[in-house]
Amino acid sequence: MTDIIRTFPPERMPRTITTPEGVTYYRTEHTGQSIEGARQHGIEPGWTTYEYWIGPGDDSRRLYAINPARFWLE
């Protein structure tokens, strides 16, 4: 059995992600792991996540991504 790569390596994650609504979020240095609540988005617990903020230095709205096309908003 082979392992499945579930997330992008940090160097392949973009500096920004724009949502379908046209809102741009900016990548931070923060990474983490997805939790049980991410299952509702089809993301298994324990996957590496990358944190994006609504603006540089402004974490009032956050986006968490496992790759450039799969993300959810906090």
Side-chain angles (χ1 to χ4, degrees):
M1 180 186 287
T2 58
D3 291 332
I4 297 171
I5 298 172
R6 295 190 170 114
T7 59
F8 275 34
E11 62 274 6
R12 292 190 57 203
M13 291 300 289
R15 290 180 175 233
T16 63
I17 292 179
T18 301
T19 67
E21 295 78 21
V23 179
T24 300
Y25 287 80
Y26 299 85
R27 187 167 166 208
T28 70
E29 61 192 39
H30 305 292
T31 60
Q33 291 186 341
S34 57
I35 59 173
E36 187 65 34
R39 280 190 197 273
Q40 65 183 330
H41 303 288
I43 298 165
E44 293 295 320
W47 289 2
T48 301
T49 60
Y50 299 92
E51 188 171 320
Y52 289 73
W53 292 356
I54 190 66
D58 179 0
D59 68 347
S60 62
R61 291 171 55 191
R62 297 178 186 185
L63 177 147
Y64 296 94
I66 61 166
N67 67 44
R70 294 191 65 195
F71 54 83
W72 65 98
L73 302 174
E74 179 183 77

